[in-house]
Amino acid sequence: MARIDMSKVSLFEATSEQDEISRKRNYAEWAKGLDLEGYLRRDKIVDTHEHAVNGKLKTWVLASVDDSKTLDFFCACETFQRQGLIQKPTSTEPEKVIAYGISSVYCPPENRGKGYAIHMMRLLHYILAPADSLGVFPEEWGSPPIQPSGLGNASFSMLWSEIGGDLYERAGYNHSLPGWKPHEYVSTVWQYRNMVEHFGRVRWLLEVDCVRLWDEDAIFVEKKFSELGHEEKKITCAFLPNGGVAAFQIRRVLMYLPGSPHLPIPKHWGVEILGENERAYATWVTEIGSSPASLTITRLRTTEKTFPIILSAIMEAAKQNCCTNVEIWNLDSSLNKIAMEFGGEGSQSSKCLPSLAWYGPESAEHVKFLFNENSFQRGIAIADVDCWNRAGTGMLTKVGLMSPVTCTTARVKLKNTLIAKLSMKATAPFVLSALFAFTQCQIITLPPAVSSGFKQEDLDRLWQSVEQILPVTTADVTEVLEPLQNFSVGPDPPRFRPAYLQANTSNLKLPEGFKYGVATAATQVEGAVKTDGRGPSNWDWACHNYVSWCNNIPPDVTINHYYLYKRDIQRAKAMGVNTMSFSISWSRVFPFGLSNSPVNEEAFQYYDSYIDELLANDIEPVVTLFHWDTPLNLISEYHAFLDGRIVDDYANYAETIFRRYGNKVNMWITFNEPKLLKAHATAVQRYRSLKEQGVIADGQIALKHDGSRPVPFDPNSLSDNELVERHSDLYIGIFSQPIYGNGNYPDRVLDAIPSNILPRLTPEDQALIKGSADFYAIDAYTTQVAKTPPNGIEACAKNISDPNWPICQDVSGDIPQYSTVTGWALGAAADPLSSWLGDTSSLLRYQLNWLYDNFPAPGGIYISEFGFAEPFEYDRTELYQITWDERRATYLLDYLNEALLAIYEDGIPLKGTFIWSLADNYEWNLATQQRFGLQHVNYSTPDLQRSYKLSFFQEPPG
């Protein structure tokens, strides 16, 4: 077979056209089930990520010196610039250096066996390494390749070979020196086994948690590296495990999963042991395309004491992800005995063989690469797998995520601004909503903002950023269905509660004008997210690109209310409600969000028809303007709710809606479970101005609060009673007092939270906010228990890094729904997925009386949401079992019973109640698994069939 004339070829940085050809060539071997379009789209996505930007990722082609830009090049490879560490025995501290990982070495079949690949790898040294470290370029190779600006700075480079070490070891930068010297390693493998008896108290880690931990370990590596170098008596080197490495492990799996539909989408990517003095955790990925399926540990820190607990959690993760095997590389020797006791088998492995090229003056024989990043002794073991690429022959492929530091910063900001509220229904969904509204914590590069023009192609680009990993799905029904003819509710269910249980309200009636309604929200019920000109929201972007946050189901379809609303309204009327609370999708009305962007008239056509349908059925519409869905373009434009410009854009959106529907809608909610006072107050100001001008009809406006005034864990504890007041002020008073009180935050809030975290309200702010609500609305699902943390309130309050700061309530476990005095629960527990929720109806009057005493409103009080998650409803398979939601039905009757007593015995001006929800829907980070509906939705049927539950038939007492 003819060999190449090495003087006639050289190595060149690939043009964009050559880069695409290279990817198309290796598609057939490395796609792992993806189609070509998906494979190329995946690469285009990851080219924009942290590891690749600013020239850190480059593709190289071996081509003729006479035609460097030819698309008929011989072979190609990729390099990734990474930060490395070097520790010399004579140095006291490790040195941070530039190093490179090499990946995607690919030679087409027709060019194999001719020496192209080995010569490309020889020339690559002259691209990466300082020229003076390589000696004289061999004359028979012609001229050395041109070294682009910014390269030639490597201290070492690494690749991971799937074809053994011979080829790459022979690819030296001259005839006498080796190229990449292979290092053997030990692989420890377990077959899945149940280890539940060793399971301990752990926290399952989401993607952001794993990235944060890897970032922390980069610091740990630096501290320990000098000790390791001196122990080895050699020069030691390694890559630092940050800069997108942890993120890469996860993103690679998610990007390949569309090609492996038989595999589940992982929900968690690691586990951490709680309560240990020293950090103990593991992170993992599932190996796509392997047989048998394997859960591979990407990073491990543990001790002999914690290893059985960690291993038991790993086994549970393997079961959840359909993995037969578990694999750890270079397990610390101190853990080998325990590993063998639990069935682990260790062996030397040649798979993904790590190989090092050293560019220092010392001989490579005196250099040791800690190739799985680290393997620390003295009881702390860290293992790190760094061999996950699209080719399987190199280190990193094109991936990258975010700066873990900035993500951590964003999480702190969320907490410090009280967005991450305390174990309530809003917590996970709004943390998610806010997390992705804040680009400090972006998980995949956000699309460029659209600030002008606002063309269809601009909207298409926004949607392309949503569909980087997972395309938007559509419902089977894509036309509005008219109400059914001859509709019937069906037979009543049997009576399930004795009449005497409501004897104290049997003669009481709901007051005239009382709003007895149900509630929904656009993101949770509409679906049709990419239909009729709607723009993407934070939820669309987050749940498509970061699916584990959303229980692996984006809100593309939900219950398809967009097309089924007429029949849903028909079914609501049959229930006997006179009011329905729903939200309008900001990004459906303003696809680009900005005040200078066009209104989507098709959205108005939908909401026109929706409101008219309610009125035609004698159901009063109550409209919420914002229920946690932010236009994605505002996030790209100026970080949305991190920037004051959101006030004007939101107020413009609100005024547009007021003008359109102000003569049909008389009750308005600015924000669901509020986070922003100035935006709320500005919208109210515009609403009242329109009323005064006679542009719209008279009506009422406010916002919806959430949470509860807790009861003390121990009524005889002074600190628990103090915590009741602290919780009430920092959770409810922080939003309520400025509106319904003196215009400013409560004193406890001002004392607890420094001004650099919670900017103080100016006199102008206070004047704007005070009185900016006509009624008081609260989502009163349950009552919490206030328990003092172990270190006390005072110590917590002084320590901003305390996990319980600023409220300083003990949330180390689930909120305890019981009292230390009685030992009894406050009421029946809801489903474990909603562990914050219980039937605390006996305390509803306690709540309403406190609210009325502290925040009186001229328009009275509304319970804007209350509802219950029937335990394990999602596990039931027979319809008759699903629809018999007795605990939910009891909860609703109990609450309505107490509401009547609050009106007639306590004199509370309670004006209405809204049950969550009309039907099962998309429960935020729990997606469609958690069920709150009065109607069952069968997600396996094309028309998402609804069925009334027992709770639907429970009329208000009296």
Side-chain angles (χ1 to χ4, degrees):
M1 185 176 290
R3 307 291 292 181
I4 63 170
D5 183 347
M6 292 181 290
S7 66
K8 298 295 180 67
V9 297
S10 192
L11 195 60
F12 303 93
E13 185 174 353
T15 65
S16 58
E17 293 81 5
Q18 288 174 325
D19 189 45
E20 182 172 354
I21 291 296
S22 175
R23 295 169 182 183
K24 286 181 177 179
R25 284 181 177 180
N26 57 48
Y27 156 74
E29 293 189 28
W30 299 342
K32 297 184 184 294
L34 294 178
D35 60 23
L36 178 59
E37 181 182 358
Y39 185 71
L40 295 178
R41 181 173 65 243
R42 185 210 67 158
D43 281 344
K44 288 180 180 179
I45 294 166
V46 297
D47 283 351
T48 64
H49 292 168
E50 183 186 4
H51 80 290
V53 296
N54 301 321
K56 288 187 287 187
L57 164 65
K58 291 186 181 293
T59 299
W60 307 92
V61 297
L62 186 74
S64 168
V65 294
D66 297 323
D67 190 6
S68 63
K69 296 183 179 181
T70 178
L71 300 184
D72 191 25
F73 51 87
F74 303 111
C75 51
C77 66
E78 294 175 348
T79 58
F80 300 81
Q81 181 180 303
R82 288 189 62 184
Q83 190 172 74
L85 283 181
I86 292 176
Q87 177 68 54
K88 297 183 178 181
T90 56
S91 302
T92 58
E93 297 291 336
E95 176 187 4
K96 284 186 178 180
V97 298
I98 298 298
Y100 287 86
I102 300 161
S103 168
S104 303
V105 180
Y106 186 81
C107 191
E110 64 270 22
N111 289 337
R112 294 174 187 172
K114 301 178 181 179
Y116 289 116
I118 193 169
H119 191 56
M120 174 178 68
M121 300 307 290
R122 289 168 178 159
L123 296 178
L124 187 59
H125 296 297
Y126 290 87
I127 296 290
L128 303 179
D132 58 3
S133 69
L134 301 180
V136 179
F137 188 81
E139 184 176 351
E140 64 268 33
W141 294 359
S143 299
I146 298 173
Q147 196 175 67
S149 175
L151 277 84
N153 52 3
S155 294
F156 63 90
S157 64
M158 286 294 303
L159 59 81
W160 278 256
S161 171
E162 288 282 358
I163 58 174
D166 180 67
L167 172 67
Y168 297 109
E169 189 170 13
R170 288 189 290 116
Y173 46 85
N174 61 40
H175 295 299
S176 59
L177 293 175
W180 284 268
K181 182 177 176 59
H183 293 250
E184 291 184 337
Y185 70 95
V186 174
S187 168
T188 305
V189 177
W190 292 259
Q191 289 190 339
Y192 168 76
R193 60 184 296 178
N194 191 328
M195 293 178 58
V196 68
E197 68 273 14
H198 298 283
F199 204 74
R201 189 156 169 255
V202 301
R203 182 170 73 94
W204 297 100
L205 304 179
L206 300 172
E207 183 175 341
V208 290
D209 301 315
C210 295
V211 172
R212 171 178 52 82
L213 288 173
W214 280 52
D215 194 57
E216 292 174 2
D217 261 357
I219 300 172
F220 184 79
V221 168
E222 290 186 55
K223 290 180 179 178
K224 291 290 184 180
F225 204 75
S226 59
E227 300 174 16
L228 291 171
H230 294 133
E231 290 174 3
E232 295 290 345
K233 308 287 194 242
K234 285 186 174 185
I235 298 170
T236 50
C237 62
F239 288 128
L240 284 175
N242 55 2
V245 179
F248 160 74
Q249 312 285 359
I250 295 169
R251 282 291 131 190
R252 174 187 175 275
V253 174
L254 292 177
M255 288 177 179
Y256 274 125
L257 276 174
S260 304
H262 59 288
L263 292 178
I265 299 175
K267 184 176 181 180
H268 300 104
W269 303 92
V271 68
E272 182 179 16
I273 295 181
L274 300 175
E276 290 297 320
N277 293 329
E278 289 190 316
R279 207 63 173 275
Y281 72 85
T283 60
W284 53 71
V285 292
T286 53
E287 186 171 358
I288 303 297
S290 65
S291 182
S294 178
L295 189 87
T296 302
I297 305 307
T298 53
R299 199 150 188 84
L300 173 69
R301 187 192 289 192
T302 187
T303 63
E304 294 178 58
K305 175 184 176 182
T306 58
F307 187 47
I309 304 175
I310 286 284
L311 190 57
S312 67
I314 290 171
M315 290 297 176
E316 179 63 21
K319 180 180 71 173
Q320 293 174 4
N321 290 284
C322 304
C323 293
T324 305
N325 289 350
V326 169
E327 182 178 19
I328 300 178
W329 290 11
N330 276 9
L331 187 67
D332 188 89
S333 58
S334 65
L335 304 176
N336 283 339
K337 181 179 178 181
I338 299 173
M340 300 307 120
E341 288 176 359
F342 294 107
E345 295 182 4
S347 62
Q348 293 286 336
S349 179
S350 61
K351 181 183 73 171
C352 225
L353 191 65
S355 303
L356 168 72
W358 176 252
Y359 300 132
E362 303 85 355
S363 168
E365 298 292 330
H366 299 119
V367 179
K368 182 173 182 179
F369 178 69
L370 302 178
F371 42 85
N372 287 331
E373 304 285 321
N374 303 285
S375 181
F376 292 146
Q377 310 299 318
R378 291 182 302 282
I380 295 291
I382 292 186
D384 181 15
V385 178
D386 216 0
C387 180
W388 295 94
N389 71 328
R390 74 161 184 260
T393 60
M395 187 269 299
L396 290 176
T397 190
K398 298 185 173 182
V399 81
L401 218 57
M402 59 177 199
S403 164
V405 174
T406 55
C407 182
T408 302
T409 302
R411 288 160 64 91
V412 170
K413 282 190 176 183
L414 294 177
K415 173 186 172 184
N416 289 349
T417 53
L418 299 179
I419 290 174
K421 286 195 171 183
L422 184 63
S423 295
M424 292 296 290
K425 183 173 186 284
T427 303
F430 201 90
V431 168
L432 174 62
S433 177
L435 189 65
F436 291 101
F438 297 165
T439 55
Q440 280 91 333
C441 203
Q442 67 190 60
I443 302 306
I444 293 179
T445 304
L446 286 166
V450 181
S451 304
S452 61
F454 309 113
K455 299 178 181 178
Q456 181 61 45
E457 51 262 38
D458 297 321
L459 186 59
D460 292 342
R461 279 193 292 272
L462 292 176
W463 277 112
Q464 287 169 9
S465 76
V466 168
E467 298 181 284
Q468 296 178 71
I469 303 296
L470 198 62
V472 168
T473 57
T474 57
D476 291 305
V477 176
T478 57
E479 293 182 356
V480 174
L481 298 185
E482 294 298 320
L484 293 170
Q485 299 295 321
N486 302 316
F487 171 74
S488 172
V489 171
D492 287 350
R495 177 179 292 273
F496 81 105
R497 302 191 78 200
Y500 68 81
L501 290 177
Q502 273 81 44
N504 56 350
T505 57
S506 59
N507 296 321
L508 302 180
K509 304 293 183 183
L510 293 176
E512 185 177 353
F514 190 89
K515 299 185 191 302
Y516 177 58
V518 290
T520 67
T523 299
Q524 296 179 266
V525 299
E526 281 186 1
V529 295
K530 203 177 172 184
T531 297
D532 294 338
R534 181 183 178 275
S537 74
N538 51 341
W539 282 91
D540 299 312
W541 184 81
C543 294
H544 276 265
N545 290 311
Y546 199 37
V547 292
S548 61
W549 270 97
C550 305
N551 209 11
N552 306 324
I553 302 174
D556 298 347
V557 175
T558 62
I559 67 171
N560 205 23
H561 191 59
Y562 188 82
Y563 292 111
L564 302 178
Y565 70 93
K566 290 188 177 183
R567 293 188 178 180
D568 284 338
I569 291 171
Q570 181 183 41
R571 297 178 70 86
K573 182 179 181 179
M575 176 185 170
V577 300
N578 59 24
T579 316
M580 182 180 289
S581 174
F582 67 97
S583 75
I584 289 177
S585 167
W586 186 353
S587 63
R588 194 178 291 281
V589 176
F590 280 92
F592 300 99
L594 295 164
S595 58
N596 66 328
S597 65
V599 170
N600 176 23
E601 186 58 36
E602 289 181 284
F604 277 148
Q605 293 174 15
Y606 168 68
Y607 291 116
D608 287 349
S609 178
Y610 192 99
I611 291 172
D612 288 345
E613 191 72 17
L614 287 171
L615 295 172
N617 283 274
D618 299 319
I619 298 176
E620 179 184 350
V622 175
V623 172
T624 297
L625 296 171
F626 181 86
H627 199 123
W628 301 342
D629 47 342
T630 306
L632 178 60
N633 192 52
L634 296 185
I635 302 171
S636 293
E637 177 71 21
Y638 54 72
H639 311 323
F641 290 107
L642 282 185
D643 193 291
R645 285 174 284 181
I646 193 73
V647 173
D648 287 337
D649 284 328
Y650 172 77
N652 173 75
Y653 155 66
E655 182 175 344
T656 302
I657 302 300
F658 295 150
R659 288 179 178 273
R660 185 80 176 201
Y661 300 117
N663 291 314
K664 294 183 177 181
V665 176
N666 296 316
M667 186 172 180
W668 297 89
I669 302 291
T670 55
F671 284 93
N672 177 73
E673 298 174 357
K675 307 297 170 278
L676 298 174
L677 291 174
K678 290 171 71 174
H680 153 78
T682 303
V684 171
Q685 186 181 59
R686 296 200 184 187
Y687 177 74
R688 289 173 173 171
S689 176
L690 291 173
K691 286 199 306 179
E692 291 172 3
Q693 297 171 41
V695 176
I696 61 176
D698 190 24
Q700 291 185 311
I701 190 168
L703 45 68
K704 287 166 62 176
H705 300 76
D706 79 310
S708 67
R709 176 177 173 82
V711 294
F713 181 79
D714 181 354
N716 296 316
S717 165
L718 292 177
S719 62
D720 284 357
N721 280 281
E722 165 58 24
L723 188 58
V724 169
E725 304 301 328
R726 184 180 181 92
H727 177 115
S728 300
D729 279 349
L730 273 81
Y731 206 98
I732 297 178
I734 191 172
F735 303 110
S736 296
Q737 182 166 300
I739 297 173
Y740 302 95
N742 62 6
N744 202 1
Y745 298 121
D747 290 341
R748 284 188 183 86
V749 172
L750 297 173
D751 292 340
I753 307 176
S755 59
N756 64 324
I757 294 175
L758 183 67
R760 299 320 190 218
L761 296 174
T762 66
E764 293 76 16
D765 294 336
Q766 294 181 38
L768 174 69
I769 295 167
K770 183 178 179 181
S772 60
D774 299 320
F775 54 89
Y776 193 99
I778 188 165
D779 294 350
Y781 283 84
T782 193
T783 298
Q784 293 187 16
V785 175
K787 182 181 180 183
T788 304
N791 58 337
I793 298 174
E794 184 177 358
C796 168
K798 292 178 180 179
N799 181 9
I800 196 171
S801 64
D802 190 296
N804 294 317
W805 186 91
I807 294 179
C808 295
Q809 178 170 324
D810 184 8
V811 290
S812 56
D814 290 336
I815 298 298
Q817 300 291 340
Y818 54 88
S819 163
T820 57
V821 173
T822 65
W824 287 94
L826 296 180
D831 184 78
L833 292 177
S834 295
S835 58
W836 52 270
L837 178 58
D839 181 353
T840 60
S841 53
S842 62
L843 293 167
L844 179 62
R845 293 166 69 184
Y846 162 80
Q847 297 291 336
L848 294 174
N849 276 277
W850 180 80
L851 291 172
Y852 183 54
D853 289 343
N854 287 273
F855 311 114
I861 298 176
Y862 290 87
I863 298 176
S864 44
E865 287 181 28
F866 73 114
F868 199 79
E870 184 78 9
F872 307 106
E873 186 175 321
Y874 43 81
D875 284 339
R876 301 173 188 173
T877 56
E878 299 295 333
L879 185 60
Y880 74 90
Q881 296 173 329
I882 295 170
T883 55
W884 191 264
D885 58 340
E886 182 171 343
R887 192 168 290 187
R888 179 183 291 115
T890 301
Y891 167 95
L892 296 176
L893 286 174
D894 288 346
Y895 262 69
L896 291 168
N897 191 68
E898 293 299 309
L900 278 171
L901 294 175
I903 295 170
Y904 287 101
E905 294 190 2
D906 302 338
I908 302 298
L910 182 63
K911 302 296 186 179
T913 58
F914 295 83
I915 300 170
W916 186 271
S917 176
L918 171 65
D920 294 336
N921 57 69
Y922 190 85
E923 284 297 333
W924 306 114
N925 64 313
L926 296 174
T928 56
Q929 181 180 6
Q930 186 71 102
R931 307 297 183 104
F932 271 85
L934 298 173
Q935 300 176 79
H936 168 66
V937 176
N938 188 341
Y939 292 103
S940 65
T941 57
D943 60 349
L944 301 174
Q945 181 181 359
R946 279 73 154 145
S947 299
Y948 291 127
K949 301 177 188 177
L950 178 68
S951 55
F952 173 90
F953 291 89
Q954 307 314 309
E955 297 180 356

